[in-house]
Amino acid sequence: MKDRIKIILTIFAAAAAVSCVKQTPDLSDCETGIRLLFDWITPAQPREGTSALNVDITGDNGDMSITSPIPGRELDILPGLYRFTAWETATNVTIDGTVLTLSSADGTASQPQPFTAGTTTDTVENTDDYQQIHVPMYQQTRDLVIRLQFIGDGISLIRTASGTVSGIALSREVVFGFPPVDGRIRPQSITDGSIGYTFTEGTDGWFTGSDTLLGIDGDSDQIFEVTVGFDDDISTTESVDITSEMNGFHTVDVDEPWVISITLSIGASFEMSIVDWYSGAESWLTAD
């Protein structure tokens, strides 16, 4: 996993006057000023041209939903303990509290748009000075690329290849992004399901499919089921347990696609078997 680098982007503005006269000794009825800042945890970064961040603030003295420029913003808030959750708007993704959920149909996920999100809990103190609240922003999606190579007597009759990967996250906590904040190799999801793959043959003879995932379900096995179609409406299906091959998905070189390359042998009787396979981050894997 790459070294974590923190980038703090700050908008400094003239401090606003507090919004009430502090007459009580404990100042509990008066708002104090905070600077809400976002720390982009490498390799997370805001998408180019993205709109303002969505921010939910939930705490002792009330809840609010605001938007903020990517660097941050200033606001007045009553002292107390609060949870701050921020995220970029993305297609096929909703957020409730700190839970991210993919749109899906019958347990089959839609692809999420790449986005970042983060959450922190902090105490807003009684003070005349502006207090800085930092929200760590993590990458929340990663591409899973599957490459298939076929050998054997039956390959000339191949017409289509498709498949599914089960045991992926349909909903999970924000903190189990890429990498998960506690370094967990296989973070658990709240709900799990599958995602479909369609493969296209390239000039190199490999069939390649790619999907964007919210993550894997660490409590489930990941099973890749591939179906190969031949002439005359004949097809054959093979299941491959890729659970151990997904152990680096949340933690290893997460700014790159994770690639699984599988070589399958297909005989004249259309029986299919695995010959070889390997996995890893795209930068150090070459499927040839």
Side-chain angles (χ1 to χ4, degrees):
M1 185 175 71
K2 293 183 177 178
D3 292 336
R4 164 175 162 163
I5 302 173
K6 178 184 287 188
I7 302 173
I8 301 177
L9 301 175
T10 310
I11 290 180
F12 288 103
V18 291
S19 59
C20 68
V21 178
K22 298 184 175 181
Q23 296 176 333
T24 58
D26 61 4
L27 311 180
S28 59
D29 296 329
C30 297
E31 294 179 338
T32 187
I34 66 168
R35 290 188 177 99
L36 186 62
L37 308 175
F38 303 102
D39 300 341
W40 302 92
I41 309 301
T42 299
Q45 56 184 332
R47 289 176 289 116
E48 291 184 7
T50 190
S51 58
L53 294 174
N54 308 290
V55 184
D56 272 353
I57 304 172
T58 304
D60 292 342
N61 289 315
D63 306 334
M64 68 178 74
S65 296
I66 63 171
T67 58
S68 174
I70 285 175
R73 65 167 287 182
E74 295 183 351
L75 66 153
D76 291 337
I77 192 171
L78 288 172
L81 180 67
Y82 292 90
R83 184 187 69 211
F84 301 84
T85 304
W87 69 97
E88 292 181 291
T89 300
T91 56
N92 297 325
V93 179
T94 58
I95 184 167
D96 183 7
T98 59
V99 175
L100 307 173
T101 301
L102 278 178
S103 60
S104 60
D106 299 324
T108 300
S110 303
Q111 285 198 69
Q113 180 181 359
F115 71 105
T116 58
T119 187
T120 191
T121 299
D122 206 341
T123 299
V124 175
E125 300 172 349
N126 290 321
T127 177
D128 288 328
D129 298 325
Y130 266 82
Q131 177 183 349
Q132 293 185 349
I133 305 291
H134 295 276
V135 181
M137 300 295 290
Y138 288 87
Q139 175 181 316
Q140 295 294 328
T141 62
R142 187 177 192 180
D143 289 345
L144 174 61
V145 177
I146 299 178
R147 306 190 74 202
L148 306 174
Q149 182 184 53
F150 299 101
I151 61 175
D153 297 333
I155 64 173
S156 62
L157 301 177
I158 294 175
R159 294 295 173 263
T160 62
S162 60
T164 60
V165 174
S166 60
I168 69 164
L170 297 184
S171 65
R172 63 165 173 78
E173 288 285 341
V174 169
V175 295
F176 293 143
F178 299 89
V181 295
D182 63 358
R184 193 177 307 187
I185 293 175
R186 296 180 58 83
Q188 75 267 26
S189 66
I190 296 172
T191 58
D192 69 292
S194 62
I195 194 163
Y197 275 77
T198 300
F199 294 91
T200 302
E201 185 177 10
T203 57
D204 58 358
W206 285 81
F207 288 74
T208 301
S210 178
D211 278 325
T212 303
L213 276 59
L214 196 64
I216 64 171
D217 176 25
D219 294 330
S220 298
D221 292 337
Q222 283 70 55
I223 305 297
F224 171 54
E225 187 172 89
V226 57
T227 299
V228 179
F230 306 91
D231 288 342
D232 301 323
D233 294 326
I234 298 172
S235 65
T236 186
T237 299
E238 180 74 20
S239 292
V240 185
D241 188 335
I242 60 173
T243 305
S244 61
E245 304 302 314
M246 298 295 287
N247 283 345
F249 189 68
H250 276 270
T251 55
V252 178
D253 292 343
V254 296
D255 54 331
E256 302 169 357
W258 187 256
V259 182
I260 297 179
S261 298
I262 305 173
T263 300
L264 300 125
S265 175
I266 298 180
S269 61
F270 305 114
E271 293 182 355
M272 186 163 53
S273 60
I274 301 170
V275 177
D276 189 25
W277 59 325
Y278 50 94
S279 64
E282 187 176 53
S283 64
W284 49 271
L285 269 182
T286 303
D288 54 19

